Short mmCIF file of all heavy atoms in Angstrom, two decimals:
data_model
loop_
_atom_site.label_atom_id
_atom_site.label_comp_id
_atom_site.label_asym_id
_atom_site.label_seq_id
_atom_site.Cartn_x
_atom_site.Cartn_y
_atom_site.Cartn_z
N LEU R 537 -10.78 42.12 -21.43
CA LEU R 537 -11.24 43.43 -21.88
C LEU R 537 -12.15 44.07 -20.82
O LEU R 537 -13.10 43.45 -20.37
CB LEU R 537 -12.14 43.32 -23.17
CG LEU R 537 -11.50 42.52 -24.29
CD1 LEU R 537 -12.59 42.04 -25.18
CD2 LEU R 537 -10.54 43.41 -25.01
N HIS R 538 -11.76 45.35 -20.41
CA HIS R 538 -12.82 46.12 -19.75
C HIS R 538 -13.60 46.71 -20.85
O HIS R 538 -13.29 47.77 -21.44
CB HIS R 538 -12.09 47.22 -18.93
CG HIS R 538 -13.09 48.04 -18.12
ND1 HIS R 538 -13.04 48.01 -16.81
CD2 HIS R 538 -14.12 48.82 -18.52
CE1 HIS R 538 -14.17 48.68 -16.34
NE2 HIS R 538 -14.70 49.19 -17.31
N ALA R 539 -14.71 46.02 -21.09
CA ALA R 539 -15.44 46.27 -22.39
C ALA R 539 -16.60 47.32 -22.15
O ALA R 539 -17.74 47.06 -22.05
CB ALA R 539 -16.14 45.02 -22.91
N GLU R 540 -16.10 48.52 -22.00
CA GLU R 540 -17.01 49.74 -21.95
C GLU R 540 -16.33 50.83 -22.86
O GLU R 540 -15.14 51.01 -22.58
CB GLU R 540 -17.03 50.34 -20.55
CG GLU R 540 -17.91 49.40 -19.58
CD GLU R 540 -18.16 50.18 -18.20
OE1 GLU R 540 -17.17 50.42 -17.58
OE2 GLU R 540 -19.30 50.39 -17.95
N THR R 541 -17.08 51.44 -23.73
CA THR R 541 -16.45 52.40 -24.67
C THR R 541 -16.28 53.71 -24.05
O THR R 541 -17.29 54.42 -23.69
CB THR R 541 -17.28 52.39 -25.99
OG1 THR R 541 -17.24 51.12 -26.55
CG2 THR R 541 -16.77 53.51 -26.93
N ALA R 542 -15.03 54.15 -23.86
CA ALA R 542 -14.70 55.35 -23.14
C ALA R 542 -15.32 56.55 -23.68
O ALA R 542 -15.80 57.43 -22.89
CB ALA R 542 -13.08 55.44 -23.11
N SER R 543 -15.32 56.78 -25.05
CA SER R 543 -15.82 57.95 -25.62
C SER R 543 -17.26 58.26 -25.29
O SER R 543 -17.68 59.39 -25.00
CB SER R 543 -15.55 58.17 -27.06
OG SER R 543 -16.17 57.03 -27.72
N ILE R 544 -18.07 57.26 -25.30
CA ILE R 544 -19.57 57.37 -24.96
C ILE R 544 -19.64 57.85 -23.55
O ILE R 544 -20.45 58.76 -23.25
CB ILE R 544 -20.24 56.04 -25.22
CG1 ILE R 544 -20.09 55.46 -26.51
CG2 ILE R 544 -21.81 56.27 -24.87
CD1 ILE R 544 -20.77 54.08 -26.76
N MET R 545 -18.90 57.15 -22.64
CA MET R 545 -19.08 57.56 -21.18
C MET R 545 -18.58 58.82 -20.85
O MET R 545 -19.12 59.57 -20.04
CB MET R 545 -18.30 56.51 -20.37
CG MET R 545 -18.77 55.00 -20.67
SD MET R 545 -18.06 53.79 -19.59
CE MET R 545 -16.39 53.87 -19.98
N ALA R 546 -17.41 59.39 -21.57
CA ALA R 546 -16.95 60.69 -21.24
C ALA R 546 -17.92 61.79 -21.66
O ALA R 546 -18.14 62.65 -20.69
CB ALA R 546 -15.61 60.79 -22.01
N LEU R 547 -18.64 61.66 -22.65
CA LEU R 547 -19.57 62.67 -23.08
C LEU R 547 -20.77 62.60 -22.15
O LEU R 547 -21.26 63.65 -21.71
CB LEU R 547 -19.93 62.49 -24.52
CG LEU R 547 -18.90 62.76 -25.52
CD1 LEU R 547 -19.33 62.45 -26.93
CD2 LEU R 547 -18.50 64.25 -25.47
N ARG R 548 -21.28 61.43 -21.90
CA ARG R 548 -22.43 61.27 -20.95
C ARG R 548 -22.13 61.81 -19.61
O ARG R 548 -22.92 62.55 -18.99
CB ARG R 548 -22.79 59.80 -20.73
CG ARG R 548 -23.33 59.16 -21.96
CD ARG R 548 -24.92 59.50 -22.06
NE ARG R 548 -25.36 59.25 -23.38
CZ ARG R 548 -26.39 58.47 -23.66
NH1 ARG R 548 -27.13 58.10 -22.66
NH2 ARG R 548 -26.81 58.29 -24.83
N GLN R 549 -20.99 61.49 -19.07
CA GLN R 549 -20.58 61.95 -17.71
C GLN R 549 -20.46 63.41 -17.62
O GLN R 549 -20.88 64.03 -16.67
CB GLN R 549 -19.40 61.26 -17.20
CG GLN R 549 -18.97 61.57 -15.71
CD GLN R 549 -17.94 60.82 -15.17
OE1 GLN R 549 -17.69 59.64 -15.55
NE2 GLN R 549 -17.24 61.33 -14.18
N LYS R 550 -19.81 64.04 -18.61
CA LYS R 550 -19.59 65.49 -18.77
C LYS R 550 -21.04 66.17 -18.64
O LYS R 550 -21.26 67.16 -17.90
CB LYS R 550 -18.89 65.79 -20.03
CG LYS R 550 -18.44 67.23 -20.14
CD LYS R 550 -17.41 67.43 -21.29
CE LYS R 550 -17.09 68.92 -21.51
NZ LYS R 550 -17.96 69.48 -22.47
N LYS R 551 -21.95 65.81 -19.39
CA LYS R 551 -23.28 66.28 -19.49
C LYS R 551 -23.93 66.17 -18.11
O LYS R 551 -24.51 67.13 -17.59
CB LYS R 551 -24.14 65.58 -20.44
CG LYS R 551 -24.24 66.22 -21.81
CD LYS R 551 -25.47 65.83 -22.57
CE LYS R 551 -25.14 64.71 -23.52
NZ LYS R 551 -26.31 64.23 -24.27
N LEU R 552 -23.85 65.12 -17.49
CA LEU R 552 -24.48 64.85 -16.18
C LEU R 552 -23.84 65.80 -15.12
O LEU R 552 -24.52 66.37 -14.34
CB LEU R 552 -24.33 63.35 -15.73
CG LEU R 552 -25.21 62.39 -16.54
CD1 LEU R 552 -24.61 60.94 -16.38
CD2 LEU R 552 -26.65 62.40 -16.04
N GLU R 553 -22.55 65.79 -15.18
CA GLU R 553 -21.84 66.65 -14.19
C GLU R 553 -22.15 68.12 -14.34
O GLU R 553 -22.43 68.83 -13.42
CB GLU R 553 -20.30 66.46 -14.31
CG GLU R 553 -19.87 65.01 -13.74
CD GLU R 553 -18.33 65.05 -13.41
OE1 GLU R 553 -17.88 65.81 -12.53
OE2 GLU R 553 -17.56 64.29 -14.13
N GLU R 554 -22.23 68.52 -15.64
CA GLU R 554 -22.52 69.94 -15.94
C GLU R 554 -23.95 70.23 -15.45
O GLU R 554 -24.22 71.45 -14.99
CB GLU R 554 -22.34 70.30 -17.35
CG GLU R 554 -20.93 70.46 -17.79
CD GLU R 554 -20.69 70.49 -19.27
OE1 GLU R 554 -21.64 70.39 -20.11
OE2 GLU R 554 -19.55 70.62 -19.67
N ALA R 555 -24.78 69.23 -15.43
CA ALA R 555 -26.17 69.52 -14.99
C ALA R 555 -26.29 69.36 -13.40
O ALA R 555 -27.44 69.36 -12.95
CB ALA R 555 -27.15 68.53 -15.71
N GLY R 556 -25.14 69.19 -12.75
CA GLY R 556 -25.22 68.95 -11.32
C GLY R 556 -25.74 67.66 -10.86
O GLY R 556 -26.17 67.54 -9.74
N LYS R 557 -25.77 66.71 -11.77
CA LYS R 557 -26.36 65.39 -11.37
C LYS R 557 -25.20 64.57 -10.71
O LYS R 557 -24.33 64.12 -11.47
CB LYS R 557 -26.96 64.72 -12.58
CG LYS R 557 -28.15 65.60 -13.18
CD LYS R 557 -29.07 64.84 -13.97
CE LYS R 557 -30.36 65.65 -14.13
NZ LYS R 557 -31.08 65.27 -15.24
N ASN R 558 -25.34 64.35 -9.49
CA ASN R 558 -24.21 63.60 -8.83
C ASN R 558 -24.74 62.50 -7.75
O ASN R 558 -23.99 62.23 -6.84
CB ASN R 558 -23.16 64.62 -8.18
CG ASN R 558 -23.86 65.37 -7.26
OD1 ASN R 558 -25.02 65.12 -6.74
ND2 ASN R 558 -23.25 66.51 -6.82
N ALA R 559 -25.85 62.01 -8.04
CA ALA R 559 -26.39 60.96 -7.12
C ALA R 559 -25.95 59.60 -7.61
O ALA R 559 -25.56 59.43 -8.78
CB ALA R 559 -27.92 60.98 -7.13
N PRO R 560 -25.95 58.54 -6.70
CA PRO R 560 -25.48 57.25 -7.05
C PRO R 560 -26.02 56.73 -8.44
O PRO R 560 -25.17 56.23 -9.24
CB PRO R 560 -25.88 56.40 -5.93
CG PRO R 560 -25.85 57.27 -4.69
CD PRO R 560 -26.29 58.65 -5.29
N LEU R 561 -27.31 56.86 -8.63
CA LEU R 561 -27.83 56.39 -9.92
C LEU R 561 -27.32 56.95 -11.19
O LEU R 561 -27.43 56.44 -12.27
CB LEU R 561 -29.34 56.30 -9.78
CG LEU R 561 -30.04 54.92 -9.44
CD1 LEU R 561 -31.46 55.11 -9.16
CD2 LEU R 561 -29.83 53.88 -10.51
N HIS R 562 -26.82 58.20 -10.99
CA HIS R 562 -26.26 58.95 -12.21
C HIS R 562 -25.04 58.22 -12.72
O HIS R 562 -24.79 58.40 -13.94
CB HIS R 562 -26.10 60.44 -11.89
CG HIS R 562 -27.30 61.23 -11.61
ND1 HIS R 562 -27.48 61.94 -10.46
CD2 HIS R 562 -28.45 61.25 -12.32
CE1 HIS R 562 -28.65 62.39 -10.47
NE2 HIS R 562 -29.35 61.96 -11.59
N HIS R 563 -24.37 57.56 -11.89
CA HIS R 563 -23.25 56.72 -12.41
C HIS R 563 -23.77 55.74 -13.44
O HIS R 563 -22.94 55.50 -14.52
CB HIS R 563 -22.64 55.97 -11.23
CG HIS R 563 -21.40 55.04 -11.65
ND1 HIS R 563 -20.36 55.50 -12.29
CD2 HIS R 563 -21.37 53.69 -11.53
CE1 HIS R 563 -19.53 54.53 -12.54
NE2 HIS R 563 -20.11 53.38 -12.12
N LEU R 564 -24.90 55.14 -13.30
CA LEU R 564 -25.48 54.19 -14.23
C LEU R 564 -25.82 54.94 -15.48
O LEU R 564 -25.69 54.50 -16.58
CB LEU R 564 -26.63 53.44 -13.53
CG LEU R 564 -27.44 52.45 -14.41
CD1 LEU R 564 -26.63 51.40 -15.03
CD2 LEU R 564 -28.52 51.81 -13.60
N ASP R 565 -26.38 56.13 -15.29
CA ASP R 565 -26.78 56.91 -16.47
C ASP R 565 -25.61 57.26 -17.37
O ASP R 565 -25.82 57.33 -18.66
CB ASP R 565 -27.42 58.30 -16.07
CG ASP R 565 -28.76 58.07 -15.33
OD1 ASP R 565 -29.41 57.01 -15.51
OD2 ASP R 565 -29.24 58.96 -14.60
#
Side-chain angles (χ1 to χ4, degrees):
L537 309 161
H538 184 114
E540 293 190 291
T541 296
S543 57
I544 305 177
M545 302 188 296
L547 290 175
R548 289 280 163 130
Q549 185 171 330
K550 188 164 172 276
K551 267 204 260 176
L552 288 160
E553 285 197 68
E554 281 169 3
K557 301 199 163 162
N558 58 15
L561 262 169
H562 294 128
H563 177 59
L564 178 56
D565 293 340

